Amino acid sequence: MSTGSNLFATTITFTLLAVSALAQEPIASNAEVSPLETVEVVGQLTRYGATKSQVPIVETARSISIETYDQFNDKGALNLSQTATYMAGVSAETFGFATRGDWLRARGHSLPRYRDSIQELFGNYNTTRAETFTIEQVEVLRGPAAVLYGQGSPGGIVNYVSKTPKSERGGELMVRGGSFDRMELGVDLTGPFSQGDDTWSYRLVALYRDSDSQVDYVEDNTRLLMPSISWQPSAATRITFLGLVQDTESDSGSQFVPVEGTLQPLANGGFLNPDVYIGEPGFNRFDTESRQLTLLASHEFNEFLGIEATALRRDGEADYHQAWPAFLGSGASRYINGIFGPVLASDTIVPRTFYQADNEFEQTAIDVRLRATFDTGVVQHEVLAGVQYQAVETDNNLSYFFGGGAFAGDFSYVLDLQNPVYTGAPDQAVFDAIYFDQPTQNVDDYGLYISNLMSIGEWRITMGARFDEVDNDNGVLSQSDSDVSLSAGVLYRFENGMSPYISYAESFETVVGNITDPQTDTVIDSLEPQIGEQLEVGIKYEPRGFPALITLAYFDINVSNLDNPADLPLTAGAQLGKSDIDGIELEARMSVGDFTFHAALSTLNTEDPDSFALASNPEQQASLWVSWQPQGQLEGLRVGAGVRHLGQSVSEDAVVRYETPDYTLGDLMLGYEFGDHWDFTLNIRNVADEEYLTSCLTRGDCFPGVRRTVMGSIRYTF
């Protein structure tokens, strides 16, 4: 900690001294390394994106994947998870068909959700999902990112960039429908308020969806309105206010179907319908509402000094009711006859747990950044120095009726998974009697960070540091943690387009709890944050002859301060556990003639403190998407085809080991652009309608994948 603090102070001192050089003549722009060809292939990083920078991906010593609006629409993505299914090393549908959220994972860990570089989701099941119609592009930054974002996952982040006003008048009207009676209407209008004057501009995005799903009784209905307004009094200043109101009425797509009957056969050798509805009609629901206001602002004082700010105020609530099979612990039978013997004859009858929750959250966040470019001798600097504050309040109150009374001899609410006959739910008085009004949880995070991208000829050297103070109050314990996070990277751009690099980055996540003396039961100290450290070595290749970007990376991540299997919980040695993760990722995008290609390949090795594999992480992944957009007589035609392969994943502990088999899926797209305005597209995902499981957990449940989905869309753009 002291070494990191000294380096942090040294970096700040150096930068402040260097900023004094701003009075000298400004540096020559390095715009001669044009990113335009790369933009055509992979999209463009923005100052509100994953790196808070417009530095081209090929000059960034980190692994980043981008899907633009047009790209993920061509692939038929219907939600945030599906926008990332062709990205290298990203397991995008970890928990199969889902309606409560988007569960993306990379490098062994879940990816927190950011919008316009501000974290947008805290906790679980308390807000609406992100809608792809509101998004300009989706970015995944893989690996620790604490210097830019503070506490978070060692796996990285997923950030999506909002649609914002444009200075040219235009828009899109969209109608989409298909499988499971899905129907969507979307409107996207933008332009200046006054013709010929782009000082004030607007954008209005609206979406309405009415949809069933592959699971009976589960709907996915949404109403959304996202207005925004921009004020640009000069080329140096732009301020955008963006509002978002969303209301979703749905149910949980995840049914937590038991291992017996999905991954493993039943006693009679058969299997369950993987899309069986285990909830209770009329009781189940997952209804969410959210509201947010975002500020995006930038001002250039001169050609080498500017300031940017992002601020967010967001709140929402979720009314969540669900029934699911009672979990009886790792490796135990989930069936009533396995517990009660001959009481019930069928091995497909399960007790059900009934759950009610009222979840709410409030979030206030602001991130102010000073950006400076200047020279010190032969070194060109681009310095980003920022201060960030975030306050999050979550309130999760619930009733949890484990087993629905079956373990007390009341079999009124059991369900036969092979021949479900729904019984109704317990009376509301039952839930009222066991209602748990949990304390409100508050997290306040203060961060100060600095990053310096130094260019010396074709060398790109990055150094960054951040100090965070995080205050947690869960209503039982109050705890304050501080941490210094570091990052560094070196990249060299050869004339032939090759750019080898090496980088180091850190992450941290606070753990609320006390360390106690087992002899006296007295508190010794608070638990330390979990620390992630990543070393990444790679090479990026941008050919000179045609638009393409190819990235190959090897990474090694060590996560420390985890639970120690050899010590008692909450004692002095309780955080000596470590997790090791390493892997290789290859991603390539290119355009050759009328064809574009997007290929990805990755391997992953994980190990937790018990030497078991981290759950629900495919060991290998591979994908390829090819699209053809001919010129000449066939101009306007678009054809695309893709294949996605996810390897075996493992969930294991000292009692059981579940191996979820690998699976391969195919996707198709056929489109035609008629004139300058009309676009007709047909997408088919999982074209062969494969039945597969995305993961199974040691607690005893599995997650069926997304079935064949056929969608047709008509878009009118102007």
Side-chain angles (χ1 to χ4, degrees), residues 535-574:
L535 180 67
E536 179 174 317
V537 180
I539 187 167
K540 301 185 179 187
Y541 178 49
E542 186 181 32
R544 300 310 188 195
F546 57 94
L549 180 63
I550 303 169
T551 301
L552 175 65
Y554 166 80
F555 60 90
D556 187 287
I557 300 175
N558 176 271
V559 184
S560 58
N561 292 343
L562 299 177
D563 291 342
N564 179 12
D567 209 335
L568 295 173
L570 304 180
T571 57

Side-chain angles (χ1 to χ4, degrees), residues 58-59 458-460 491-501 538-544 548-552:
V58 73
E59 296 187 23
E458 298 303 321
W459 289 96
R460 303 293 183 266
L491 178 146
Y492 186 82
R493 297 206 66 182
F494 287 98
E495 290 185 3
N496 61 5
M498 292 285 188
S499 299
Y501 70 91
I539 187 167
K540 301 185 179 187
Y541 178 49
E542 186 181 32
R544 300 310 188 195
L549 180 63
I550 303 169
T551 301
L552 175 65

Side-chain angles (χ1 to χ4, degrees), residues 41-56:
V41 180
V42 299
Q44 184 176 10
L45 288 167
T46 77
R47 292 180 177 180
Y48 303 108
T51 63
K52 301 183 182 180
S53 169
Q54 292 175 307
V55 176

Side-chain angles (χ1 to χ4, degrees), residues 2-126:
S2 59
T3 301
S5 300
N6 291 336
L7 180 56
F8 182 69
T10 302
T11 305
I12 289 180
T13 303
F14 169 78
T15 302
L16 291 175
L17 290 172
V19 169
S20 66
L22 291 175
Q24 303 172 10
E25 62 179 15
I27 67 169
S29 169
N30 61 355
E32 65 271 15
V33 184
S34 172
L36 290 179
E37 293 283 47
T38 303
V39 170
E40 294 179 6
V41 180
V42 299
Q44 184 176 10
L45 288 167
T46 77
R47 292 180 177 180
Y48 303 108
T51 63
K52 301 183 182 180
S53 169
Q54 292 175 307
V55 176
I57 293 177
V58 73
E59 296 187 23
T60 304
R62 293 293 303 270
S63 291
I64 304 168
S65 296
I66 294 179
E67 280 282 294
T68 66
Y69 178 77
D70 288 337
Q71 289 169 343
F72 62 66
N73 271 320
D74 270 357
K75 296 183 176 82
L78 296 177
N79 52 55
L80 181 64
S81 291
Q82 293 181 355
T83 67
T85 50
Y86 282 87
M87 292 182 180
V90 179
S91 175
E93 294 175 328
T94 306
F95 301 114
F97 169 66
T99 55
R100 297 176 301 166
D102 296 281
W103 319 117
L104 287 79
R105 300 177 71 87
R107 301 190 174 181
H109 292 269
S110 61
L111 301 180
R113 183 179 114 186
Y114 286 72
R115 188 178 198 125
D116 302 318
S117 76
I118 293 286
Q119 190 167 354
E120 193 188 44
L121 176 62
F122 295 85
N124 292 309
Y125 319 128
N126 56 22

Side-chain angles (χ1 to χ4, degrees), residues 413-482:
Y413 307 110
V414 301
L415 190 72
D416 187 337
L417 301 183
Q418 207 152 37
N419 300 287
V421 176
Y422 301 102
T423 61
D427 293 337
Q428 185 59 42
V430 174
F431 298 103
D432 293 342
I434 56 176
Y435 185 76
F436 181 26
D437 188 352
Q438 297 192 102
T440 300
Q441 300 189 42
N442 292 277
V443 181
D444 293 301
D445 190 342
Y446 308 83
L448 175 65
Y449 61 95
I450 191 165
S451 179
N452 189 358
L453 171 62
M454 294 167 279
S455 301
I456 309 172
E458 298 303 321
W459 289 96
R460 303 293 183 266
I461 303 170
T462 305
M463 294 183 64
R466 178 175 176 128
F467 173 79
D468 276 281
E469 183 173 312
V470 184
D471 296 326
N472 282 278
D473 184 348
N474 63 12
V476 178
L477 291 175
S478 295
Q479 180 172 313
S480 182
D481 294 283
S482 61

Side-chain angles (χ1 to χ4, degrees), residues 572-590:
Q575 287 190 283
L576 295 179
K578 293 185 177 181
S579 174
D580 294 305
I581 305 158
D582 66 80
I584 298 174
E585 295 165 347
L586 171 66
E587 185 163 8
R589 294 180 185 261
M590 63 185 69

